[in-house]
Amino acid sequence: MILTGDAVHGPLREEVEVCVVGSGAGGAVVAAELAERGREVLVLEEGGHHPTEGFSARPLEMMGRLYRDRGMTCTLGTPGIPVPLGRCVGGTTTVNSGTCFRVPPRVLSKWSKDHGLADLDEAALAPLYERVEARIEVRSAPVATLSANASFVARGAEALGWRHRPLLRNIHECRGTGVCAFGCPRGAKQSMLVSYIPRALAHGARLHANCRVERLRVEAGRALGVEGTVLDPETDRPRFPFSVRARALVLSAGTVHSPVLLARSGLAGGSRELGRNLRIHPALKVSALVAERVTAWAGVPQGYCVEEFADEGILMEEAFTPPEVGCIALPYLGHRHRALMERYDHVVNFAALVSDSSTGRVWPTPGGRGVMTYRLNRADHEALVRTLRLLARLCFAGGAERVFLPMLGMPELASPDDLSRLEAARPRPGDLELAAFHPMGTCRMGADPRRSVVDPRLRVHGVRGLWVVDASVFPSSLSVNPQLTIMAMATRASGDIHEALGG
Amino acid sequence: MDAPAPFGPRERAVLERLAADLVPVARDDPHGVGPGDVVEWVVRWVAPLPPDIRWGLRAAVAALQWLPVLVIDEPTRYTRLAAGERMRYLAALEAHPLYLVRSLFKVLRSFTLMGYYSRPRVTRALGFDPDRVAERSRAGHFLPGLPEGGR
Ligand SMILES: Cc1cc2nc3c(=O)[nH]c(=O)nc-3n(C[C@H](O)[C@H](O)[C@H](O)COP(=O)(O)OP(=O)(O)OC[C@H]3O[C@@H](n4cnc5c(N)ncnc54)[C@H](O)[C@@H]3O)c2cc1C
């Protein structure tokens, strides 16, 4: 059962076996896995419950409903980087693009060496991935759903001899509707909203939407429960206080809010690592104009990738957006911009993510929100500039007439001859327009309590009965899209929690 | 209760000028969307945002209005510049050496463009019809325009 804020008519007090904070990739999986094992589970979600039937395919309207601060969350720094976050039942999976990757073995080896995570190897993760992949129906994006944008990317990669393929996606009867990031109106994308959450509810779990957790209660080193506020679903204004007592507490509020909640509850631990080590997997996107009419919004927006540079940490993926959002990415002002927009059905684009070694930090603010700071280091900046050049080459190889760059001082390359101008350019970090979709690392896991926030089994160091299960636990950039790995880790943690609760 | 209005009348006038310059949304816009409509959208979009973001946006509007003297050496307000000067000023803001100035302008540019291009009539004219997209999607149809399955 899902209880929404408007159906609450007074202060709430609950006592349950397991309380899960957050209903995204981490929280929903824990809730379902434990409910299936017969545990009494309550999920608390700050965002609202927006069922698929109400998804309008209007990008901005849906951003207003499903994203935190209408999608305006961003890092402070030069450059400031937008890092949108979901805030609704299903968390960010409700608005993500549905791309699925397993973590590359090279990342696991590094974790083993640097963070004492030896038991987290490929063999240990394989059955967890298999279980998740079956449950959210991971498969290669069917050719029938791919857009003309994907054909363009494939053509470019083929001409350059770069490895390319359709992406793996969590989908059920996808029809290439093209608005994954604004809530799939068909429920084809197997987000938590339509997969693990219904599974959890079917096994007796309960979910309270519009319930913002503000403090974790811990006494004598043992987590006892949470306290917070029921919000009005329309206005977000506080309505009533609530408190929940639980034998096991699972914090899955995501990379920005899990550390904030720990810090507000005085659980910074002894390591000084809480809130630090923020990685965001920065991305940039190049747009291009092609001669033929492509209507690239028809089809999966993120259905195709180029893996040629994956070993360098550069992963190229499509990321097409409909005109009402895509208008921002095209350059120029006034009539020149408008002229480009009038040819939006001839626009294609391609993006890439760079595995970052730069770090940032999440700071709790007095109001309980998290503020992110992040500073690009030289290595990542250089990788981003290289990525920009590669993307521009690919666009011309795919047949682009003009290529538009997210770069100050060089908004456009008018022909392949201009690539040499880009090669010669030396943009500074603030000259690039970046975005990021995969924040992680602020409650990193590790064997050494002095260098990590949670232990290798995701238990908060020094606190009994408290687990962190979300993207915040990864000790470095995954270098791929993270949802599948978060879900695999959540599957493993569920077994641990079940065992810890005893028979 | 409605959220507090994020902009006063003067700020709205600046935003209206910006909308007319950026899109540009002429009074005879073929889609029937004028600068006032764009500003209405921006106001509604911004109203529920947290106060610190709303303050940041008001600061951006103030900067836009008062910076001509520093940016293009014109000792007057943005809304009082001649048409050609306004475009020169906006281009200078967009490419300004100070990151903060560029960023504030970028936010206003983004909101203005979103305000115009989210109008159903405008998106439909460009070929993207969200209502039809949602309807076809629910009915299990591929979208017209798909290179493979959709045809
Ligand atoms: C546009 C976009 C596209 C993406 N595409 C992909 C993709 O294709 N593939 C992929 O692998 N990843 C993608 N991601 C990232 C992926 O979705 C996230 O990494 C993943 O969902 C993170 O899971 P999580 O459990 O850490 O947090 P979330 O899924 O963000 O869930 C956290 C939940 O906790 C809630 N919460 C926060 N604070 C509180 C509180 N105090 N009280 C109660 N509840 C609270 C939030 O509202 C939220 O619902 C994308 C992200 C975005 C923004």
Side-chain angles (χ1 to χ4, degrees), chain A residues 88-137:
Chain A
C88 53
V89 171
T92 309
T93 70
T94 305
V95 295
N96 78 14
S97 305
T99 294
C100 294
F101 273 95
R102 293 186 180 194
V103 61
R106 64 170 193 284
V107 174
L108 294 175
S109 314
K110 198 169 148 46
W111 289 359
S112 170
K113 204 162 71 101
D114 297 350
H115 301 278
L117 300 172
D119 68 341
L120 210 60
D121 58 15
E122 254 187 304
L125 280 171
L128 302 167
Y129 277 128
E130 278 160 25
R131 185 174 172 88
V132 172
E133 286 161 355
R135 292 183 159 208
I136 59 169
E137 305 191 43

Side-chain angles (χ1 to χ4, degrees), chain A residues 52-53 55-58 60 63-64 69-70 72 77-80 143-148 151 175-177 185-186 237 295 297-299 322-324 327-328 330-335 337-338 341-342 369 408 430-431 433, chain B residues 1 21-24 29-31 41 44-45 48-50 52-53 87 90-91 94-95 99 102 105-106 109-111 113-114 116-118 123 126-128 130-131 133-134 137-138 140-149:
Chain A
T52 299
E53 302 79 73
F55 290 179
S56 68
R58 296 184 184 187
L60 290 169
M63 269 174 86
D69 297 344
R70 312 199 136 213
M72 286 194 59
T78 307
V143 173
T145 65
L146 295 177
S147 70
S151 315
R175 293 290 182 264
T177 301
R186 194 179 152 64
R237 300 234 169 88
T295 59
W297 57 77
E324 58 182 272
C327 59
I328 300 169
L330 291 179
Y332 304 128
L333 306 171
H335 291 285
H337 181 270
R338 187 163 180 150
M341 284 306 293
E342 272 160 14
R369 295 169 61 213
L408 181 70
D431 296 348
E433 288 199 12
Chain B
M1 210 172 76
D21 285 343
L22 277 188
V23 179
D29 182 73
H31 313 306
W41 183 92
R44 266 188 307 180
W45 182 255
L49 290 173
D52 51 342
I53 302 185
M87 292 319 283
L90 297 181
E94 194 178 34
Y99 180 74
R102 288 204 304 276
F105 177 68
K106 192 168 86 182
R109 175 187 188 267
S110 300
F111 279 12
L113 293 176
M114 291 187 327
Y116 183 73
Y117 288 105
S118 60
T123 51
L126 296 177
F128 176 70
D131 297 344
V133 165
S137 173
R138 290 206 175 90
H141 298 308
F142 286 89
L143 292 187
L146 274 178
E148 305 281 344

Side-chain angles (χ1 to χ4, degrees), chain A residues 59-75 81-87 92 95 181-182 325 328 369 372 434-437, chain B residues 41 45 48-50 53 107 110-111 114:
Chain A
L60 290 169
E61 181 187 305
M62 293 312 300
M63 269 174 86
R65 277 197 247 165
L66 303 176
Y67 282 72
R68 186 174 291 276
D69 297 344
R70 312 199 136 213
M72 286 194 59
T73 38
C74 69
T75 65
I81 304 175
V83 186
L85 303 169
R87 179 180 178 262
T92 309
V95 295
F182 312 104
V325 180
I328 300 169
R369 295 169 61 213
M372 291 174 274
L434 307 175
F437 305 91
Chain B
W41 183 92
W45 182 255
L49 290 173
I53 302 185
V107 173
S110 300
F111 279 12
M114 291 187 327

Side-chain angles (χ1 to χ4, degrees), chain A residues 26 45-46 84 88 91-92 96-99 213 302 437 470-471 481-483:
Chain A
E45 167 57 54
E46 179 183 358
C88 53
T92 309
N96 78 14
S97 305
T99 294
V213 172
Q302 191 168 92
F437 305 91
D470 57 27
N481 309 52
Q483 66 168 345

Side-chain angles (χ1 to χ4, degrees), chain A residues 57 167 207 251 316 414:
Chain A
L167 283 160
L207 192 153
L251 191 50
M316 298 178 168

